[in-house]
């Protein structure tokens, strides 16, 4: 019996060993991932700090001036080279690489490369991180897995006094040596896995031995039972063997009880014969005889039989009554079916009428649809008319504006005229003044002439003439003044008229504006009515479809009514058959003789 | 005769009058009494005198007093207009001005045609008028008696 325990061992190993190995590998992989990510983060942070500090050391003006190989010999470039070599010499190995990059439109060119002295002027890919660094003026980082190792990059914009930086310091670092080894991280989970495997192996060996002993004990005792010998007690006091022992003993006891019984069989035989006779007479329809009830098992059977016979009698009596009722009900059913057939025929004819109405309704709906379409067309025409009206109103508004401008111009001219006439009035007043002065002088002259006596007589005549002239010019000036006054009242009237006109023009403009507004409202309403009539048209189309459906449904109903009529005919036949069947049933039930 | 009449028209009876208007009436004054006509000057009022003395003014360095005949002749008193005139009167070595509304004309008037004013005329200034002359153009012209004016008690009290 060595094979059971060894098979358990083998199965156990086959199942568990790959599982443990897989677990170890998974744990190792995740811990490796976490560790390397941690290392990369730390290195990137360090590199970005280094790049930020280093970027401050460079002069962006010098970098933007350097164009060719020849510039390498200049003093500022050598200074930059010194700074670069200082930074690269700080690293223990060759892992650092410094690049000074200058942005040139959408490309980048190298100003300095710590690995390649002659790289100046070569172009370099302008990548997103660099543009981010230049735009945000902050150091950005990037990482890349290349065939020769894991690399991290830092891009630091070199700050300028003026506007936006366009020079970037890039530091590249190969962190292959800093990353943890995958196999080293696998070591601890591997050792733990091996240990667990060993422990499980030992446990499996022990349990296999116990199972072997139990099987041996059971086979031993079963062999004894077949020979009729007594059971052997378990050799040691193991708890699990005693449990098996009690089960085996109860099995032994139950086998002993099976050998007794056999004499009572003949007595039972007789009773069965008696019972069979009674049952056969009952089978022929005689329910009047009952079986003897005794105290044994068959007595119970007889009692049950008697009960059954009495129940059957009851049943047959009920069946007779039911058959009579069926016969009377069938007559009623026949009458009802005839009425139903008549009703179905009526329904079919009514349905047809309704269906005709439905068709007429569909016609009407179609006409409504036509009307709706015509209404939509009319609304469309109204819309175009309203649009034309709106255009005309716009033009008339423009015309009104022109009129207003003209009126304003006329008003200005009239005002100017008024001013001129006022000036003329002033001048004529002045002339009047001169005339009165002249008159006065003439008067004085004539006084002097009179005083001179005969010598002044001729002078007196001249003075009179002058006075006459002065008087005439004074009169003329008065007349001019009157005319000017007339002109001025005319001008003020004209001004009032112009003002009135301009007021009317502005009122007209307002009216035209409100007409335009009204036209716009009409346009809106027309659009609404267009859409409404389209809706109506759609609705009527829906209605047409529904009415068609109604008509088809009605046709269907008519068909159903016809079918109902046919069904009623068939039902009549069935009922006739039912009548016949009930008569048969009555005859069949009459065969039974029943105890009163 | 004809020649004589041409050289001396109206020599016998005609004399010249200065015609002026005051408060609606037309008056005449012998031209020999009138020295000059001046437009209304700036008048300086004199306190404590009869209202018929309007005030004094400066005529080329000479101080001339002005009589307001409206007060003296009981005429309607309207506010003094700037378009009014002053007639400078020279009489017995006296110089004074009288206020007039308007100087109308210098007319040659036939002395025979000047009628003596009668009480029938019912004029408020009848005592200061020598006569009435009816002109075709101007209507009734009242010939002023300037001596009566300066000898009136209102004016006389200021004479010296």
């Amino acid at each position: 019996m060595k094979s059971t325990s060894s098979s358990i061992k083998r199965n156990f190993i086959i199942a568990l060993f790959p599982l443990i190995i897989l677990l170890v590998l998974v744990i190792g992989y995740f811990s490796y991932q976490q560790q390397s990510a941690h290392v990369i983060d730390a290195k990137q942070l360090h590199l970005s700090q280094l790049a930020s500090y280093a970027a401050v050391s460079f002069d962006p003006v010098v970098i933007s001036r350097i164009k060719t190989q020849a510039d390498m010999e200049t003093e500022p470039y050598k200074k930059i080279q010194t700074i670069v070599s200082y930074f690269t010499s700080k690293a223990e190995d060759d892992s650092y690489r410094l690049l000074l990059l200058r942005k040139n439109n959408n490309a980048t060119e190298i100003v300095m490369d710590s690995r390649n002295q002659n790289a100046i002027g070569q172009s370099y890919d302008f990548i997103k991180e660099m543009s981010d660094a230049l735009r945000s003026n902050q150091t950005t980082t990037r990482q890349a897995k290349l065939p020769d190792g894991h690399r991290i990059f830092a891009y630091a914009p070199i700050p300028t006094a003026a506007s936006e930086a366009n020079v970037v310091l890039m530091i590249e670092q190969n962190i292959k040596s800093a990353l943890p080894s995958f196999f080293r991280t696998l070591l601890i989970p591997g050792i733990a896995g091996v240990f667990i495997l060993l422990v499980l192996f030992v446990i499996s060996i022990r349990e296999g031995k116990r199972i072997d002993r139990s099987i041996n004990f059971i086979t031993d005792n079963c062999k004894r039972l077949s020979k009729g010998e007594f059971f052997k007690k378990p050799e040691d006091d193991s708890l699990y063997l005693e449990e098996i022992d009690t089960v085996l003993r109860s099995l032994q006891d139950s086998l002993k009880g099976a050998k007794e019984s056999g004499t009572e069989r003949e007595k039972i035989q007789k009773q069965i014969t008696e019972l069979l006779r009674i049952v056969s007479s009952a089978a022929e329809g005689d329910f009047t005889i009952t079986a003897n009830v005794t105290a044994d098992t068959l007595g119970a059977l007889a009692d049950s039989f008697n009960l059954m016979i009495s129940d059957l009698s009851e049943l047959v009596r009920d069946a007779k009554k039911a058959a009579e009722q069926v016969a009377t009900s069938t007559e009623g059913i026949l009458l009802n079916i005839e009425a139903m057939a008549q009703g179905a025929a009526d329904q079919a004819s009514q349905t047809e009428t309704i269906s005709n109405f439905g068709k007429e309704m569909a016609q009407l709906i179609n006409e409504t649809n036509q009307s709706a379409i015509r209404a939509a067309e009319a609304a469309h025409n109204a819309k175009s008319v309203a649009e034309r009206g709106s255009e005309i109103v716009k033009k008339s508004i423009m015309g009104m504006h022109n009129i207003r401008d003209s009126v304003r111009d006329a008003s200005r001219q009239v005002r100017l005229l008024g001013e001129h006439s006022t000036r003329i009035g002033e001048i004529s007043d002045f002339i009047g003044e001169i005339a009165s002065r002249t008159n006065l002088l003439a008067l004085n002259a004539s006084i002097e002439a009179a005083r001179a006596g005969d010598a002044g007589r001729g002078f007196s005549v001249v003075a009179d003439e002058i006075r006459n002239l002065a008087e005439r010019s004074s009169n003329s000036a008065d007349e001019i003044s009157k005319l000017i006054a007339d002109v001025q009242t005319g001008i003020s009237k004209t001004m009032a008229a112009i003002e009135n006109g301009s007021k009317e023009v502005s009122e007209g403009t307002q009216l035209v504006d409100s007409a335009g507004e009204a036209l716009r409202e009409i346009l809106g309403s027309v659009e609404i009515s267009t859409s409404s009539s389209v809706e109506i048209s759609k609705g009527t189309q829906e209605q047409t479809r529904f009415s068609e459906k109604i008509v088809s449904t009605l046709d269907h109903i008519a068909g159903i009514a016809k079918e109902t009529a046919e069904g009623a005919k068939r039902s009549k036949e069935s009922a006739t058959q039912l009548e016949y069947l009930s008569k048969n049933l009555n005859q069949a039930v009459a065969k039974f003789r029943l105890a009163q | 005769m004809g020649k004589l009449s041409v050289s001396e028209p109206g020599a016998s009876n005609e004399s010249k009058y200065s015609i002026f208007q005051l408060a609606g009436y037309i008056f005449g004054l012998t031209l020999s009494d009138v020295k000059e006509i001046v437009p209304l000057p700036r008048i300086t009022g004199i306190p404590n005198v009869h209202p018929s003395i309007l005030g004094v003014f400066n005529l080329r360095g000479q101080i001339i007093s002005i009589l307001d005949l409206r007060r003296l002749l009981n005429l309607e008193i309207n506010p003094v207009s700037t378009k009014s005139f002053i007639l400078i009167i020279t009489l017995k070595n006296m110089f004074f001005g009288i206020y007039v509304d308007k100087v109308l004309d210098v007319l040659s008037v036939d002395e025979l045609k000047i009628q003596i004013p009668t009480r029938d005329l019912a004029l408020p200034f009848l005592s200061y008028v020598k006569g009435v002359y009816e002109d075709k153009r101007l209507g009734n012209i009242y010939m002023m008696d300037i001596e009566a004016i300066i000898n009136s008690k209102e004016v006389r009290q200021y004479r010296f």
Side-chain angles (χ1 to χ4, degrees):
Chain A
M1 291 287 121
K2 203 75 182 166
S3 62
T4 311
S5 72
S6 68
S7 81
I8 286 169
K9 259 184 279 169
R10 200 175 59 241
N11 289 339
F12 177 77
I13 287 163
I14 287 167
L16 275 184
F17 189 71
L19 204 67
I20 297 288
I21 296 289
L22 196 66
L23 200 66
V24 165
L25 281 174
V26 166
I27 290 168
Y29 177 71
F30 278 115
S31 91
Y32 169 73
Q33 282 284 330
Q34 206 180 348
Q35 278 184 31
S36 55
H38 185 71
V39 167
I40 288 165
D41 279 354
K43 286 281 174 188
Q44 269 186 349
L45 184 64
H46 177 251
L47 196 67
S48 77
Q49 284 173 352
L50 185 66
S52 303
Y53 287 129
V56 183
S57 319
F58 293 104
D59 187 351
V61 179
V62 172
I63 292 166
S64 60
R65 268 185 208 145
I66 287 163
K67 300 281 181 200
T68 58
Q69 295 266 340
D71 292 325
M72 285 167 60
E73 298 306 318
T74 58
E75 198 56 39
Y77 192 77
K78 278 180 180 166
K79 208 167 155 189
I80 291 167
Q81 274 180 326
T82 316
I83 296 167
V84 168
S85 59
Y86 172 75
F87 275 110
T88 45
S89 69
K90 279 283 170 183
E92 312 87 58
D93 49 10
D94 195 21
S95 62
Y96 283 117
R97 182 190 178 191
L98 268 74
L99 260 86
L100 282 170
L101 299 164
R102 182 169 55 215
K103 189 193 165 194
N104 191 0
N105 292 333
N106 282 330
T108 320
E109 53 184 39
I110 297 171
V111 178
M112 174 175 289
D113 186 354
S114 65
R115 292 260 175 90
N116 181 6
Q117 290 294 322
N118 297 323
I120 182 163
Q122 286 177 9
S123 67
Y124 190 89
D125 287 341
F126 183 63
I127 56 168
K128 186 180 164 295
E129 281 78 5
M130 267 154 66
S131 72
D132 285 351
L134 285 175
R135 199 172 50 243
S136 66
N137 218 9
Q138 277 177 352
T139 309
T140 59
T141 56
R142 181 170 77 95
Q143 54 170 309
K145 271 182 186 164
L146 297 171
D148 58 336
H150 199 116
R151 289 182 188 209
I152 55 176
F153 303 85
Y155 303 93
I158 292 173
T160 51
S163 68
E164 202 176 307
N166 72 336
V167 182
V168 174
L169 170 69
M170 185 194 98
I171 304 183
E172 178 189 325
Q173 190 184 8
N174 190 345
I175 55 165
K176 189 183 180 184
S177 57
L179 286 176
S181 159
F182 178 64
F183 291 106
R184 204 179 297 165
T185 51
L186 208 59
L187 196 63
I188 293 164
I191 289 166
V194 166
F195 180 71
I196 290 163
L197 208 60
L198 275 175
V199 168
L200 289 173
F201 190 65
V202 168
I203 289 168
S204 78
I205 289 170
R206 276 188 58 197
E207 287 301 311
K209 274 181 185 166
R210 281 174 66 177
I211 291 162
D212 275 355
R213 273 170 66 191
S214 305
I215 290 167
N216 283 344
F217 180 73
I218 292 164
T219 27
D220 224 19
N221 277 342
C222 283
K223 275 176 189 168
R224 277 165 178 279
L225 185 65
S226 65
K227 283 173 191 171
E229 290 171 21
F230 283 102
F231 282 168
K232 198 174 73 177
K233 281 251 171 194
E235 285 147 7
D236 52 18
D237 52 354
S238 301
L239 205 62
Y240 62 96
L241 289 181
E242 272 177 18
E243 271 173 32
I244 295 167
D245 189 40
T246 50
V247 173
L248 285 173
R249 272 177 206 289
S250 72
L251 177 67
Q252 194 180 20
D253 290 344
S254 68
L255 282 172
K256 267 182 198 169
K259 288 173 184 175
E260 294 156 20
S261 87
T263 54
E264 289 183 14
R265 285 187 189 168
E266 282 181 22
K267 195 175 148 194
I268 290 165
Q269 195 80 40
K270 260 187 214 168
Q271 283 177 336
I272 287 170
T273 318
E274 176 62 21
L275 195 59
L276 272 177
R277 196 183 57 77
I278 292 163
V279 168
S280 66
S281 73
E284 283 165 9
D286 189 357
F287 287 172
T288 52
I289 310 163
T290 54
N292 254 356
V293 178
T294 52
D296 52 19
T297 326
L298 281 172
L301 185 62
D303 193 22
S304 299
F305 177 74
N306 286 345
L307 190 62
M308 187 188 80
I309 291 297
S310 79
D311 282 354
L312 274 176
S313 311
E314 198 68 31
L315 188 67
V316 167
R317 207 171 285 132
D318 285 351
K320 265 185 185 171
K321 213 182 281 172
E324 281 159 18
Q325 276 173 8
V326 165
T328 56
S329 300
T330 310
E331 279 167 25
I333 288 169
L334 272 170
L335 287 174
N336 286 338
I337 283 168
E338 268 166 28
M340 192 168 84
Q342 187 61 39
D346 284 358
Q347 193 190 2
S349 69
Q350 295 280 351
T351 311
E352 216 159 283
T353 319
I354 292 170
S355 167
N356 286 337
F357 284 149
K359 274 168 197 161
E360 278 171 28
M361 189 170 80
Q363 189 65 30
L364 283 175
I365 287 165
N366 200 31
E367 278 167 21
T368 311
N369 185 22
Q370 295 299 325
S371 301
I373 288 165
R374 278 201 295 278
E377 276 168 15
H380 193 258
N381 287 346
K383 188 186 168 186
S384 65
V385 168
E387 271 166 5
R388 273 211 303 281
S390 172
E391 197 63 32
I392 289 162
V393 163
K394 239 177 247 168
K395 276 181 191 162
S396 68
I397 287 171
M398 223 182 282
M400 284 290 191
H401 281 305
N402 287 345
I403 291 170
R404 202 177 55 199
D405 288 351
S406 304
V407 164
R408 206 173 284 161
D409 214 31
S411 148
R412 203 165 45 237
Q413 293 296 339
V414 167
R415 198 171 294 135
L416 206 65
L417 207 61
E419 279 165 19
H420 285 319
S421 70
T422 311
R423 181 87 190 106
I424 290 169
E426 280 168 12
I427 290 166
S428 86
D429 282 352
F430 185 59
I431 290 168
E433 179 72 24
I434 288 168
S436 77
R437 285 295 174 106
T438 311
N439 186 32
L440 191 62
L441 283 175
L443 279 173
N444 278 327
S446 59
I447 290 166
E448 288 295 335
R451 204 175 290 281
D454 285 348
R457 197 155 286 165
F459 187 68
S460 160
V461 174
V462 173
D464 279 351
E465 283 303 314
I466 288 170
R467 206 156 45 77
N468 281 337
L469 284 176
E471 211 152 283
R472 258 155 57 191
S473 51
S474 168
N475 287 342
S476 298
D478 282 352
E479 232 163 276
I480 289 169
S481 289
K482 267 180 207 156
L483 283 176
I484 290 292
D486 285 354
V487 167
Q488 293 227 345
T489 53
I491 281 168
S492 65
K493 271 181 195 163
T494 312
M495 289 288 280
I498 283 168
E499 244 164 61
N500 231 21
S502 82
K503 213 179 280 170
E504 270 166 21
V505 164
S506 74
E507 273 168 18
T509 311
Q510 274 177 4
L511 283 175
V512 169
D513 272 344
S514 54
E517 192 61 34
L519 275 173
R520 260 196 293 288
E521 275 171 24
I522 288 168
L523 261 178
S525 302
V526 164
E527 261 163 34
I528 290 167
S529 87
T530 308
S531 67
S532 297
S533 55
V534 168
E535 287 288 311
I536 290 167
S537 171
K538 273 185 200 161
T540 51
Q541 276 163 15
E542 284 282 300
Q543 279 178 342
T544 310
R545 235 180 44 230
F546 282 131
S547 71
E548 275 164 11
K549 263 189 197 167
I550 288 167
V551 168
S552 73
T553 310
L554 285 171
D555 286 346
H556 192 57
I557 289 169
I560 288 169
K562 271 175 200 160
E563 275 172 24
T564 308
E566 274 173 30
K569 214 179 278 174
R570 278 200 296 278
S571 296
K572 195 180 169 186
E573 284 165 16
S574 301
T576 317
Q577 216 163 0
L578 188 62
E579 201 177 20
Y580 175 68
L581 283 175
S582 76
K583 270 174 197 163
N584 280 0
L585 181 61
N586 249 336
Q587 283 170 9
V589 168
K591 278 197 287 184
F592 289 99
R593 274 181 293 153
L594 298 176
Q596 294 303 309
Chain B
M1 281 298 280
K3 198 181 176 183
L4 190 76
S5 66
V6 170
S7 58
E8 284 180 320
S12 53
N13 296 322
E14 288 205 348
S15 56
K16 290 205 165 184
Y17 281 85
S18 169
I19 312 299
F20 60 91
Q21 194 177 4
L22 185 63
Y25 292 99
I26 296 169
F27 296 98
L29 203 58
T30 323
L31 197 63
S32 54
D33 294 341
V34 179
K35 171 100 175 20
E36 195 177 353
I37 304 162
V38 291
L40 188 77
R42 204 170 62 81
I43 298 168
T44 310
I46 303 167
N48 268 334
V49 293
H50 192 268
S52 63
I53 307 296
L54 203 59
V56 293
F57 82 100
N58 185 345
L59 178 71
R60 297 188 286 272
Q62 197 172 0
I63 303 302
I64 309 258
S65 52
I66 300 165
L67 286 182
D68 188 355
L69 295 182
R70 293 174 305 179
R71 305 270 178 190
L72 215 59
L73 309 187
N74 300 319
L75 297 175
E76 196 185 348
I77 311 284
N78 288 318
V80 172
S81 163
T82 50
K83 285 185 175 176
S84 310
F85 296 89
I86 304 291
L87 295 185
I88 310 294
I89 310 293
T90 170
L91 192 72
K92 296 174 182 171
N93 296 326
M94 278 194 299
F95 277 110
F96 63 95
I98 57 172
Y99 171 86
V100 299
D101 283 345
K102 199 173 176 183
V103 178
L104 294 174
D105 212 344
V106 173
L107 279 183
S108 294
V109 176
D110 192 353
E111 294 278 0
L112 298 175
K113 284 185 180 170
I114 295 172
Q115 296 165 1
I116 304 298
T118 56
R119 293 275 166 199
D120 300 343
L121 287 170
L123 291 169
F125 46 82
L126 200 66
S127 50
Y128 299 109
V129 170
K130 279 197 289 193
V132 180
Y133 172 74
E134 198 179 330
D135 188 65
K136 281 171 208 141
R137 189 162 55 91
L138 298 169
N140 279 346
I141 300 171
Y142 302 100
M143 298 307 177
M144 197 164 275
D145 186 358
I146 196 75
E147 291 209 24
I149 286 168
I150 57 169
N151 287 325
S152 67
K153 66 173 172 39
E154 288 91 349
V155 180
R156 201 174 50 215
Q157 57 183 321
Y158 301 112
R159 282 179 60 192
F160 53 88

